[in-house]
Amino acid sequence: MGAGDDTAPAMAGDGTKAAMEVSASSSSPSPSVLKSVLLSYAYVGIWISLSFSVIVYNKYILDPKMYGWPFPISLTMIHMAFCASLAAALVRVLRVVDVPSSPPMTPQLYAASVVPIGALYALSLWFSNSAYIYLSVSFIQMLKALMPVAVYSLAVAFRTDSFRRASMLNMLGISAGVAVAAYGEARFDVFGVTLQLAAVAAEATRLVLIQILLTSKGMSLNPITSLYYIAPCCLAFLTVPWYIVELPRLRAAAASAAGLARPDIIVFGTNSLCAFALNLAVFLLVGKTSALTMNVAGVVKDWLLIAFSWTVIKDTVTPVNLVGYGIAFLGVAYYNHAKLQGLKAKEAQRKAAAAGVPKPDDTEAGARLLPEKNGGDGDHKN
């Protein structure tokens, strides 16, 4: 449920430097490298566990066959109110993190940047939580594989990324895999699929707008400061559909003494606490490793959720489901690999620029000018 996960990676670079300092005669890793690796796996394990718990917990609360509290907007509003309160306490009272000061969050910047992101976040959470009423956990995870497709397509449309034929073919492969998985879904519900696809579209638009409206202005929000700014805005936007859609149903449930209007404090309190803890886990995982690590860990989490949905919740997972998601999984894996290679190339360019290494064009130009300076002939080869 975190927003603004664009914190700078630290562990990957530190681990590489530490590994280079190990002497050639030593065959075992140094304690610092081993500690870094173990901590990285610990952060990944904590994030997967909490993300897994929040998804299954939400499914348990919303599914009519389980806890049976079919009010996804109300559940999302409880999460946002809880997270906004704790984030405000961490930022303003305990001073765990500082609010961004460069640039400062002015009312104009808040209205132009945070408000649109908060509105999209509200839509994303509303639609995704609503989908749990109609679809299985396993099928929802398969549909979420479309997120890279939506993000890349919108990035090209907003011109924050360039069109590349290889990337588009990769996106088409992921889409084809998801289509095959949907074809084999035993519990296919058109309305539920529409809700989940709308959630993917809203979340992808939010991620692209974060880059356009915040990152491009030099502002980086970690999950705690994201909730501090965005959760109250998201809560305000959710009150509109809640008042129209769910408030009359809650009043009817209260009038009929069905007990649905009075949720269990322990269930909803622990559910909200898990949701907030997930944001802290995102902060640890991305801050201590990288956002790419979280993407790779997310693929592992999806497979675990599919297995859990199949074996414990007893959702039907067909062979066609698995084949389709396998195709999508390969596409997502290639997408993450391509992103990793791009990050490595950018890092190499940054180090080369910092070291004062001339660019290839500069080297070629210098080689062409060298014969003229030394009085040589024009047959000199670069």
Side-chain angles (χ1 to χ4, degrees):
M1 293 179 63
D5 303 333
D6 298 327
T7 48
M11 186 65 70
D14 295 342
T16 304
K17 293 178 182 178
M20 294 176 62
E21 294 172 359
V22 179
S23 62
S25 61
S26 175
S27 58
S28 60
S30 66
S32 61
V33 175
L34 182 61
K35 181 180 179 181
S36 298
V37 172
L38 292 177
L39 282 175
S40 296
Y41 279 110
Y43 296 137
V44 169
I46 292 171
W47 178 80
I48 289 178
S49 300
L50 287 171
S51 181
F52 185 99
S53 300
V54 169
I55 290 172
V56 174
Y57 214 157
N58 288 349
K59 172 67 174 177
Y60 167 75
I61 291 173
L62 294 168
D63 196 304
K65 298 179 181 179
M66 298 182 188
Y67 188 83
W69 200 76
F71 302 108
I73 305 176
S74 300
L75 177 64
T76 307
M77 291 179 69
I78 292 172
H79 287 171
M80 288 296 100
F82 186 88
C83 292
S85 301
L86 278 186
L90 290 173
V91 172
R92 290 299 182 185
V93 180
L94 300 178
R95 305 286 183 179
V96 174
V97 294
D98 296 326
V99 295
S101 58
S102 179
M105 182 61 76
T106 61
Q108 293 77 13
L109 180 60
Y110 187 90
S113 301
V114 175
V115 170
I117 293 171
L120 289 167
Y121 195 33
L123 291 175
S124 173
L125 294 176
W126 171 19
F127 294 147
S128 61
N129 283 336
S130 299
Y132 286 111
I133 300 175
Y134 305 96
L135 303 176
S136 65
V137 171
S138 58
F139 188 44
I140 286 176
Q141 302 314 304
M142 295 176 189
L143 291 175
K144 286 182 179 179
L146 289 171
M147 184 62 70
V149 179
V151 171
Y152 178 73
S153 301
L154 287 170
V156 172
F158 283 101
R159 298 183 179 179
T160 60
D161 200 351
S162 58
F163 176 84
R164 295 179 297 275
R165 185 177 180 182
S167 298
M168 185 54 67
L169 290 175
N170 184 19
M171 299 301 110
L172 291 175
I174 296 174
S175 302
V178 174
V180 171
Y183 177 78
E185 174 61 22
R187 190 186 164 187
F188 188 90
D189 186 279
V190 175
F191 186 63
V193 171
T194 302
L195 286 172
Q196 184 56 46
L197 292 180
V200 169
E203 179 66 9
T205 307
R206 183 184 72 89
L207 294 175
V208 173
L209 285 186
I210 285 175
Q211 182 179 358
I212 295 174
L213 300 178
L214 292 179
T215 308
S216 62
K217 294 181 173 64
M219 178 172 289
S220 178
L221 300 179
N222 62 55
I224 297 178
T225 52
S226 294
L227 288 175
Y228 174 73
Y229 287 120
I230 296 175
C233 179
C234 180
L235 181 62
F237 276 106
L238 286 170
T239 56
V240 177
W242 176 80
Y243 183 83
I244 298 172
V245 177
E246 289 192 358
L247 182 58
R249 294 169 54 200
L250 285 167
R251 287 174 175 171
S256 64
L260 291 174
R262 293 188 293 275
D264 189 303
I265 295 179
I266 295 178
V267 171
F268 283 79
T270 53
N271 178 246
S272 299
L273 187 60
C274 286
F276 186 80
L278 176 60
N279 285 277
L280 298 183
V282 170
F283 177 72
L284 284 174
L285 179 62
V286 180
K288 299 299 182 181
T289 58
S290 69
L292 184 62
T293 300
M294 191 178 74
N295 290 340
V296 176
V299 175
V300 177
K301 179 205 68 179
D302 289 343
W303 279 111
L304 291 175
L305 280 167
I306 291 171
F308 180 86
S309 175
W310 187 7
T311 57
V312 178
I313 304 180
K314 302 301 181 181
D315 286 331
T316 302
V317 179
T318 67
V320 179
N321 275 146
L322 295 178
V323 170
Y325 185 67
I327 296 172
F329 163 74
L330 292 176
V332 173
Y334 179 80
Y335 170 79
N336 288 328
H337 172 73
K339 285 185 65 177
L340 178 61
Q341 296 303 314
L343 290 174
K344 286 182 177 180
K346 289 181 179 179
E347 181 67 14
Q349 291 176 359
R350 186 188 65 81
K351 289 182 178 179
V357 177
K359 297 180 181 179
D361 293 341
D362 297 337
T363 304
E364 293 174 4
R368 288 193 298 267
L369 291 173
L370 185 60
E372 297 177 4
K373 181 177 180 181
N374 295 334
D377 57 37
D379 296 330
H380 176 77
K381 296 183 179 179
N382 294 337

